[in-house]
Amino acid sequence: MKNVDAAKHSTGRANYVDDELRPEGMLFAAIAGASIAHAGIRSMDTSAIEAHADVVAVVTSASIPGENQVGSIIPDEPLLADGTVRYIGQPLALVLARTATGARNAADLLSVTYDQLDVVVDPREAYAKGSIIGPTRQFEMGDTERSWQECTHIVEGTCEIGGQEHVYLETQRARAVPLEDARMRVQSSTQSPYAAQRHVARVLGIPDNNVEVDVLRLGGGFGGKEDQATHWACFAALGAWATGSPVEIVLRRDEDFRMTGKRHPYAADFKLGADANGKLLAYEATFFQNAGAAADLSTGVLERTLYHATNSYFIPNVRVFAASCRTNLPPNTAFRGFGGPQGVFVIESAISKLAQRMGVDSANIQRTNLLQNGDTLPYGQTLSDCRAVRTWDRAAEEFDFSETSRRIAAFNRSHVGIKKGYSAMPICFGISFTTTFLNQAGALVHVYTDGSVSVSTGGIDMGQGLATNMARITSLVLGIDASRVHVESTNTTRVANMSPSAASSTTMLNGNAVVSAVSQIKDRLFAFLRSDLDLPESAVLTIESERVVVDGTPTNDSWNDLVGRAYLARIDLSAHGFFATPDIHFDKTTEKGHPFAYHTYGTALTETTVDVIRGRYRIDSVRIVHDMGRPLNRVIDLGQVEGALAQGLGWMTMEDLQYDSSGRLLSGNLASYKVPDAHFMPDDIEVVFLEDADEFLGPYGSKAVGEPPLLYGIGAYFAIRNALMAFGPSEEPGFDSPMTPERVLMQLYPEQVIKMGAL
Ligand code: MTE
Ligand code: LUZ
Ligand code: MOS
């Protein structure tokens, strides 16, 4: 089945927030943001803004009618700065004007007197100063202290891991329309309509049921709109409240870069020990997460770093510790993988170092220590359907790991100025929100008398194909053509209290809710049919290709006939469905439990060619065996694997987010911040789905696919590093990311690069 939006997307006819017809008298909002990263606000003067000809109103923290608070897990984030600024770009005032340009020009006229405070941008420094968010966390299994003596090899090291900008095509935006009785309707580009609804209500001081949030689709979210779309929804609503007019806010790319949070950079220390055969015995790691200036989702992200700290390996003795460190950067947030990738990068670094020390191929250590059924992870979950070895062995066979290694060694013997490298990258990703209560979803389904079907869920289509998946599931349950099904916008008045569309769980949660709703209607139709046709209880009823089938024999009744007659018999043709993932739990006091419904697995083989004179490289190929359950839609699932891979490759190689020591973003636009494009992506990408087992919690046996394949991108880092090692640098390269061409040169020629810097 084609993506239901494919034609609209490719012809530009798909609507986004600001494509809807403009309501009469709509105003435009812009933000006046902080120009320094940490300071007390001594005074603020908005008179020059107010004097601007286009300006209708200015809102500051003092004039917020409800609560000036948008922190979701921890209430530590004012919507508009109040007394202190904590990062460059932090909103100070909301400007409402008749034109978007007028609003921006006027916003530049804000005059602020600051009392400067110390700026911290490094998480280790923040930690040393005690500037942390929430409790520190530690997962522990076995006894690392005692195990070090049994190790024949022990390595230690550090990592500095870069952040990542989401670069969704559609920047943050929202539109708000004031309704009668002080109610508010908000269109938002959010992954979390309920978060937007709740926070708009809180900021305006009105009940949740006075706010309706509607989301048609997103031009990409990638986690950047899981929490942080809320702010712009609140600004639009606040502007509409202040002026009584509809208000739209649309961030320009550079504003979005500067004002919104990103993937968290991390600093980490690791220590890994193994016996003489490469069997891993003990692992310790300390993670310093760069949270930025407010909590946002950082505590959740931190927790997922610990869950994925041992990737797809069994290590009997583990102690991993993590702290979320408050710095003067924009609050960092969810980004595909949600802290998992950073955890995985550190264990892969440790294994790479250990392999070097032992003089073996990393792949030997990786394969030796893969998770197996019955293994228990450091957080207490025991694996029952582990497919780590299966995906590895299938990849090793399909892509011939040993031939690859021989071929590359031969190439490197005969080449001086270019070297090839490769890596194997096994992945393991836990599926569920780690915040257990979020694992719930609702759906509302109507069947109309002409047999057409309307499906609403709490899930968001952000480009990942949710609408297509929901239509397909509905058509499979009812036995009707998917073209009869329309998946509606996501609206808080049709489905309430929805969780964000995130954690790769949207199809599982909302899909199961749709199955529940649609099945109720089908059951009612069949009960009606039984009595109408006087069928015995034992008769088996199905609908196949829109025809009612009794005991395997097609009847004269079509789907339309059935629906039409049921309506006349006053059968309810609407239903609400609900799903909550069973049997998941976690106890934060013991740090043990069963947080995930299941895990997904896979293995990638990456090859690269590095120009060791100039530092340039290309990724030659990425070949993947991915554990998919029964795919709901192979084309969409393949798109998810390839898209996630692109983002993972970008994060590890070219996407270089740089802040200076004053907290200023140096790579604040798409000229200085490079993302992968068609030319960068390897010509040779091969994805093999393992689709031989049903995931019993997934609709129709499917497994989640949104985030996990991002982890394959980590393989590219180690493939490039493998090529650098083949060159034989004077110093062993470190484990800092991203591996930009500049960094390649710095690793290969540290002394020369320092000299050039001095020049
Ligand atoms: N794919 C597209 N095209 N656009 C997106 O914004 N977000 C990713 C992933 N794939 C994203 C995407 C992220 S971060 C998540 S969590 C999942 O999609 C969310 O959708 P799912 O739960 O349906 O997998
Ligand atoms: N969001 C969240 C997530 O709140 N909890 C999670 O576990 C999660 N995982 C991945 C992405 N977003
Ligand atoms: Mo995805 S980071 O769970 O939005």
Side-chain angles (χ1 to χ4, degrees), residues 277-308:
N277 300 319
K279 186 95 197 136
L280 299 178
L281 297 180
Y283 180 55
E284 285 181 2
T286 303
F287 296 95
F288 302 96
Q289 178 198 56
N290 191 335
D296 193 87
L297 298 169
S298 295
T299 51
V301 171
L302 189 78
E303 167 171 76
R304 202 175 262 279
T305 300
L306 294 182
Y307 285 120
H308 294 87

Side-chain angles (χ1 to χ4, degrees), residues 75 290 299 304 311 348 360 376 408 537 608:
N290 191 335
T299 51
R304 202 175 262 279
N311 191 20
E348 292 301 328
V360 300
T376 298
I408 285 181
E537 264 317 300
T608 178

Side-chain angles (χ1 to χ4, degrees), residues 57-207:
V58 183
V59 182
T60 59
S61 62
S63 42
I64 287 179
E67 216 183 316
N68 181 23
Q69 184 53 247
V70 287
S72 51
I73 301 178
I74 299 171
D76 69 344
E77 191 179 355
L79 178 63
L80 285 165
D82 187 8
T84 313
V85 296
R86 298 184 186 280
Y87 63 92
I88 291 177
Q90 182 176 355
L92 296 172
L94 173 70
V95 181
L96 290 318
R98 285 175 203 93
T99 65
T101 314
R104 285 203 171 88
N105 289 344
D108 287 341
L109 303 175
L110 182 69
S111 152
V112 188
T113 318
Y114 292 110
D115 293 315
Q116 291 231 21
L117 297 165
D118 282 349
V119 173
V120 177
V121 296
D122 177 64
R124 290 181 193 265
E125 187 188 337
Y127 183 75
K129 290 184 166 159
S131 177
I132 58 171
I133 295 173
T136 60
R137 302 284 297 272
Q138 179 164 296
F139 287 8
E140 201 167 0
M141 181 169 73
D143 185 343
T144 49
E145 275 324 316
R146 286 201 13 213
S147 318
W148 298 122
Q149 301 140 32
E150 295 161 33
C151 298
T152 38
H153 303 278
I154 296 174
V155 290
E156 293 182 65
T158 65
C159 300
E160 294 284 331
I161 307 170
Q164 186 175 24
E165 161 60 33
H166 303 85
V167 200
Y168 22 61
L169 282 176
E170 180 200 27
T171 53
Q172 303 274 4
R173 62 197 60 195
R175 191 185 274 183
V177 180
L179 306 175
E180 63 176 17
D181 299 332
R183 300 166 61 84
M184 196 63 71
R185 180 182 296 138
V186 182
Q187 284 169 283
S188 165
S189 178
T190 180
Q191 292 172 241
S192 188
Y194 183 47
Q197 179 192 22
R198 218 166 49 222
H199 283 99
V200 166
R202 186 174 181 179
V203 165
L204 297 184
I206 56 182

Side-chain angles (χ1 to χ4, degrees), residues 282-462:
Y283 180 55
E284 285 181 2
T286 303
F287 296 95
F288 302 96
Q289 178 198 56
N290 191 335
D296 193 87
L297 298 169
S298 295
T299 51
V301 171
L302 189 78
E303 167 171 76
R304 202 175 262 279
T305 300
L306 294 182
Y307 285 120
H308 294 87
T310 53
N311 191 20
S312 32
Y313 309 109
F314 177 71
I315 311 176
N317 303 285
V318 174
R319 190 171 72 204
V320 286
F321 171 90
S324 177
C325 310
R326 197 188 292 274
T327 60
N328 298 112
L329 301 181
N332 286 315
T333 193
F335 194 142
R336 211 168 193 169
F338 206 70
Q342 292 94 324
V344 170
F345 180 79
V346 176
I347 183 74
E348 292 301 328
S349 296
I351 288 175
S352 175
K353 189 154 189 174
L354 180 70
Q356 228 165 276
R357 177 71 53 84
M358 294 179 66
V360 300
D361 194 327
S362 287
N364 293 340
I365 298 178
Q366 290 170 311
R367 174 66 182 81
T368 305
N369 294 283
L370 286 178
L371 289 164
Q372 313 254 14
N373 275 343
D375 284 343
T376 298
L377 291 157
Y379 48 91
Q381 183 159 345
T382 300
L383 297 171
S384 57
D385 188 20
C386 180
R387 296 161 72 77
V389 172
R390 273 201 61 135
T391 60
W392 178 288
D393 287 353
R394 177 76 187 273
E397 183 193 306
E398 191 113 359
F399 313 138
D400 207 338
F401 283 12
S402 27
E403 198 276 326
T404 304
S405 128
R406 276 194 301 274
R407 176 166 45 77
I408 285 181
F411 179 94
N412 287 340
R413 275 194 300 277
S414 61
H415 290 76
V416 181
I418 44 175
K419 296 289 181 190
K420 282 188 185 285
Y422 70 101
S423 73
M425 183 67 217
I427 68 162
C428 167
F429 199 82
I431 301 302
S432 285
F433 286 94
T434 60
T435 303
T436 302
F437 73 80
L438 290 175
N439 294 286
Q440 55 173 306
L444 179 66
V445 176
H446 303 307
V447 174
Y448 297 101
T449 56
D450 68 350
S452 64
V453 183
S454 156
V455 174
S456 295
T457 74
I460 299 294
D461 195 322
M462 61 191 95

